[in-house]
Amino acid sequence: MHGQWSSRLVFILAATGSAVGLGNIWKFPYITGENGGGTFVLVYLLCIALIGIPIMMAEIMLGRRGRQSPINTMKLLAKDENRNRNWVWLGWMGMVAGFLILSYYSVIAGWAMSYIFRTGSGMFIGATADGVNSIFGDLVSDPERLLAWHTIFIVMTMIVVARGVKNGLEVAVRYLMPALFVLLLMVVAYSMTTGHFMEGVRFLFTPGKITQEGVLTAMGHAFFTISLGMGAIMVYGSYLPRNTSIAQATMFIAAADTIVALLAGLAIFPIVFANGLTPDAGPGLIFKTLPIAFGHMEAGTLVGTAFFILLSFAAWTSAISLIEPAVAWLVENKGVNRLYASMYMGIATWLLGLGTVFSFNIWSDKTWTIPYLFKDYSFFDTLDYLTANIMLPMGGLFIAIFAAWLMREKSSREEMDTTDWVYKIWRILLRYVTPVAVIIVFLKAVGAIGVVE
Ligand code: PHE
């Protein structure tokens, strides 16, 4: 029989665990830096509110109604609602996206884990920006070390997935997430002492210029950071008991996720400005800035070590949800048990992850170009672009279309089980605002409807 969370709280914890991860602390600051700050943050926040939240409710709702892996859920719901069988492809695309994302997510999580030991050994005490920079450079230029950490992280993830996501996740999220939050606050407090705090605040919140690609990245990140559009939230929703308010749970998850991201920004940018670094340092940004804080603050070695431990846990609870749709599907359809299903997926993800490992060193000059989309991207950048900027928003768009246009109103109303006005606002957003917004951002990004300054 299909499992169920033991309570509503466990679902909220697990979904928050999925949402809060490297996306908030590693990715949000570095893409904000690359895209010029203020306006990017604003577009991202708008996307969370107008696109992310309505789609998240829809995705949870579909999951709870289908009660299976996303692929089988879509198959079942298409049948129940008398719709085309091809809707099952939505489940497939999500499963593939999760697998692709995990392959590089695991490599970055490996960086975070390796920083537990760098910080713990006191390497950063009194550190300068240059010193921290070269320590990061040494790590990523060494394929063997990256490979070792990538391997450890994949194995750790697959162990939890093999045992069933419901055991263990609860403790990790209930105690470790709040602890991560507190440590983040401590770094923000340090940043306030750098004398450049307001510069960081201004960078994050004063509107400026943004490119079309920046708008697409902001939208893609809104999906990525709340784990949307690929079935992770759908599969968690499928374990959700009937009597839970989907709307309330969604608001909590989205708020928690956004607060953590903004705090990470407030922690990092003042350090960037105080040390003469540039915001557009790329994927290494947090590893080039946070160690400076840990090297100079009170009890920094302890705080920093704990921080990277908790960041690794946050990455772990997200990674689990990235691969759960695929594992659930293998168990349901291929008759393999969870252990083997996890092993197969683990091996496949590990292999693909090699591409990301090498893209930071021996393959760093190998690049890809897709006309109209991007030019000279590394393997890692290409994967990130295709998943976060294309596949997740596309998945979200189809979820919105299915839930708001193709599902009978009676079914969605029954499953949402909320007050009349909440239901109505949700449905209007999901029918008219959300899909149109996603389509406009897509078309603008490929230059089909003019370019905006
Ligand atoms: N939301 C996670 C993060 O911010 C990443 C993720 C994306 C997890 C998609 C599951 C699905 O780190």
Side-chain angles (χ1 to χ4, degrees):
M1 212 204 88
H2 196 72
Q4 215 176 64
W5 304 111
S6 51
S7 75
R8 169 187 120 121
L9 184 67
V10 184
F11 165 77
I12 292 186
L13 288 171
T16 310
S18 166
V20 176
L22 295 172
N24 308 62
I25 291 172
W26 158 74
K27 193 172 180 192
F28 172 71
Y30 101 72
I31 58 176
T32 298
E34 285 181 339
N35 288 286
T39 308
F40 179 85
V41 175
L42 189 70
V43 175
Y44 151 76
L45 291 174
L46 277 175
C47 288
I48 292 280
L50 295 177
I51 301 177
I53 290 176
I55 295 182
M56 184 176 234
M57 292 187 199
E59 194 174 327
I60 300 174
M61 185 269 287
L62 296 181
R64 185 164 73 179
R65 196 151 186 90
R67 296 219 158 272
Q68 294 167 55
S69 67
I71 290 178
N72 291 329
T73 287
M74 287 318 298
K75 200 187 274 173
L76 178 84
L77 295 183
K79 190 155 157 273
D80 279 359
E81 304 289 328
N82 284 322
R83 297 298 169 182
N84 196 302
R85 280 186 306 148
N86 282 319
W87 278 98
V88 66
W89 288 101
L90 177 55
W92 275 99
M93 182 173 70
M95 186 173 116
V96 172
F99 160 70
L100 298 178
I101 294 174
L102 183 58
S103 80
Y104 69 80
Y105 202 85
S106 162
V107 177
I108 312 294
W111 298 358
M113 283 200 294
S114 78
Y115 267 64
I116 299 172
F117 300 94
R118 282 183 179 60
T119 316
S121 65
M123 214 181 225
F124 296 122
I125 295 173
T128 59
D130 279 346
V132 170
N133 196 9
S134 76
I135 290 174
F136 179 73
D138 286 347
L139 171 69
V140 293
S141 60
D142 181 349
E144 278 168 28
R145 244 186 292 170
L146 294 193
L147 194 58
W149 286 113
H150 166 56
T151 311
I152 294 172
F153 188 79
I154 289 282
V155 170
M156 277 172 47
T157 303
M158 293 309 159
I159 289 175
V160 182
V161 176
R163 297 181 51 197
V165 286
K166 282 166 272 123
N167 314 323
L169 210 56
E170 185 176 355
V171 188
V173 183
R174 191 195 295 249
Y175 300 103
L176 303 181
M177 287 286 167
L180 178 63
F181 184 76
V182 172
L183 291 188
L184 208 49
L185 284 178
M186 290 169 77
V187 185
V188 174
Y190 166 81
S191 287
M192 286 179 173
T193 68
T194 58
H196 289 73
F197 189 68
M198 286 320 291
E199 211 175 319
V201 172
R202 251 178 274 130
F203 181 75
L204 278 173
F205 299 111
T206 317
K209 275 211 165 101
I210 192 165
T211 59
Q212 252 342 293
E213 193 189 337
V215 175
L216 178 65
T217 307
M219 176 175 82
H221 187 64
F223 282 91
F224 185 90
T225 192
I226 51 176
S227 307
L228 221 53
M230 50 69 63
I233 289 296
M234 197 185 284
V235 85
Y236 278 9
S238 74
Y239 306 127
L240 186 65
R242 285 267 158 232
N243 57 0
T244 305
S245 161
I246 291 176
Q248 272 173 14
T250 300
M251 294 315 270
F252 177 86
I253 299 160
D257 189 83
T258 307
I259 292 170
V260 173
L262 293 178
L263 281 180
L266 285 177
I268 284 157
F269 287 109
I271 304 176
V272 168
F273 297 121
N275 291 279
L277 300 163
T278 48
D280 60 354
L285 185 67
I286 67 161
F287 299 98
K288 295 175 180 174
T289 49
L290 292 178
I292 300 178
F294 300 136
H296 292 273
M297 68 200 263
E298 200 70 42
T301 299
L302 189 68
V303 173
T305 310
F307 180 88
F308 284 114
I309 293 178
L310 294 169
L311 180 59
S312 305
F313 267 106
W316 198 22
T317 55
S318 301
I320 291 164
S321 72
L322 279 164
I323 208 64
E324 175 63 16
V327 170
W329 175 77
L330 278 176
V331 172
E332 281 165 17
N333 286 46
K334 300 286 154 203
V336 262
N337 65 28
R338 280 195 80 90
L339 178 66
Y340 281 98
S342 311
M343 260 167 43
Y344 297 147
M345 286 318 300
I347 292 168
T349 322
W350 181 84
L351 279 172
L352 184 65
L354 299 181
T356 295
V357 165
F358 298 143
S359 76
F360 289 100
N361 35 70
I362 52 181
W363 287 357
S364 58
D365 53 356
K366 278 205 191 353
T367 58
W368 278 263
T369 297
I370 299 188
Y372 295 108
L373 295 182
F374 55 78
K375 200 165 164 274
D376 293 336
Y377 270 21
S378 70
F379 185 88
F380 158 72
D381 288 325
T382 304
L383 263 191
D384 179 44
Y385 188 98
L386 292 179
T387 51
N389 292 9
I390 309 282
M391 294 174 89
L392 300 186
M394 193 91 95
L397 175 63
F398 284 114
I399 288 172
I401 292 173
F402 188 86
W405 289 96
L406 300 182
M407 204 169 174
R408 277 164 300 174
E409 189 177 339
K410 184 173 153 291
S411 317
S412 65
R413 195 181 272 276
E414 179 184 284
E415 198 61 49
M416 285 294 283
D417 193 19
T418 181
T419 51
D420 189 50
W421 67 271
V422 172
Y423 177 80
K424 282 200 176 118
I425 294 177
W426 170 74
R427 195 166 148 96
I428 289 172
L429 279 175
L430 204 63
R431 290 195 121 191
Y432 304 104
V433 180
T434 306
V436 175
V438 176
I439 290 170
I440 290 179
V441 177
F442 268 149
L443 290 180
K444 285 207 165 195
V446 297
I449 47 173
V451 181
V452 164
E453 265 291 293

